[in-house]
Amino acid sequence: MQAIGISSSGRDGAYSRMIVQDILEESGAEYEMIDLAALGIKGCLGCLMCAGDNTCVQGDDFQGVVDRIQ
């Protein structure tokens, strides 16, 4: 099983990111760290274009995060 850590802090060297990283390392599991602040993710437009296939039409980095989580 692979674990995923997600940090949403916009600050470099954020304490919350360090805590998530430490927990992942101590778990002994294979893991991946995702820094949301480093990605280009736009806010939801409420257009409902994703309703059919669960895929956002904005063309930002969000779908890549969803794919990695799934």
Side-chain angles (χ1 to χ4, degrees):
M1 181 174 92
Q2 183 176 6
I4 296 178
I6 299 175
S7 173
S8 61
S9 177
R11 297 183 324 131
D12 287 333
Y15 190 64
S16 59
R17 188 203 187 285
M18 289 189 288
I19 291 171
V20 172
Q21 185 76 37
D22 287 346
I23 291 169
L24 290 170
E25 289 173 3
E26 291 294 322
S27 74
E30 182 181 336
Y31 69 88
E32 177 179 1
M33 185 72 180
I34 299 174
D35 285 308
L36 296 181
L39 301 174
I41 298 176
K42 302 172 187 171
C44 179
L45 299 173
C47 67
L48 299 176
M49 295 296 292
C50 61
D53 62 1
N54 236 7
T55 302
C56 182
V57 296
Q58 290 201 73
D60 60 5
D61 293 332
F62 180 70
Q63 192 61 46
V65 173
V66 171
D67 292 343
R68 289 158 65 184
I69 292 171
Q70 289 178 338

